[in-house]
Amino acid sequence: MFSTTSESMDEAVKVVGELFKLLDRVVPLRTVDKALVTMQGPEVVNQILPLLKIKFKIIVTREYSLDRAEQLRHVIACLGTQPARVLFIGDRFNDELGARNVGCRFMKIRW
């Protein structure tokens, strides 16, 4: 989780930005729908989004659900896709469990 301190937000932006650059080499990201699924609240999300310069079709925060699998099912339904076509990237064991629970592919990052 990120706090709203400048240092932690800078680190989050750096990590996510580098990850998206790497992914863009494999699949041009402009060609796929992206969703942000987070246990952060809207306040933190609204501070980080302008810094990321990434457009998300859907954003799901903890206000929707505190259950990662439920968040993912919501995104999958909104995108009108199948779980097997979704790559969920997270940094926590709970992220991996949620992805497995709904049948998504999962990539764990460490930072």
Side-chain angles (χ1 to χ4, degrees):
M1 282 205 211
F2 308 121
S3 67
T4 56
T5 67
S6 176
E7 184 178 302
S8 61
M9 289 211 323
D10 289 346
E11 181 67 17
V13 168
K14 179 181 173 188
V15 169
V16 173
E18 291 300 315
L19 175 63
F20 271 72
K21 284 180 192 174
L22 177 65
L23 289 173
D24 194 47
R25 292 183 195 164
V26 179
V27 176
L29 293 179
R30 68 185 177 285
T31 67
V32 297
D33 290 330
K34 292 166 286 302
L36 176 63
V37 178
T38 180
M39 290 298 177
Q40 294 298 320
E43 180 181 325
V44 173
V45 170
N46 290 333
Q47 290 177 12
I48 291 177
L49 281 178
L51 304 173
L52 289 177
K53 300 176 185 162
I54 299 166
K55 295 200 187 282
F56 294 98
K57 188 169 186 175
I58 300 166
I59 298 172
V60 177
T61 66
R62 66 181 175 214
E63 277 67 28
Y64 179 80
S65 175
L66 292 173
D67 180 89
R68 182 63 83 208
E70 186 176 344
Q71 289 179 323
L72 290 170
R73 280 191 285 274
H74 177 68
V75 166
I76 291 165
C78 288
L79 292 175
T81 191
Q82 297 298 315
R85 295 184 48 86
V86 172
L87 172 62
F88 179 57
I89 302 167
D91 64 346
R92 303 195 183 276
F93 180 68
N94 195 43
D95 296 334
E96 185 173 0
L97 289 178
R100 279 190 201 164
N101 188 345
V102 299
C104 295
R105 292 174 288 161
F106 180 74
M107 177 189 292
K108 186 171 186 175
I109 60 169
R110 293 186 185 145
W111 54 301

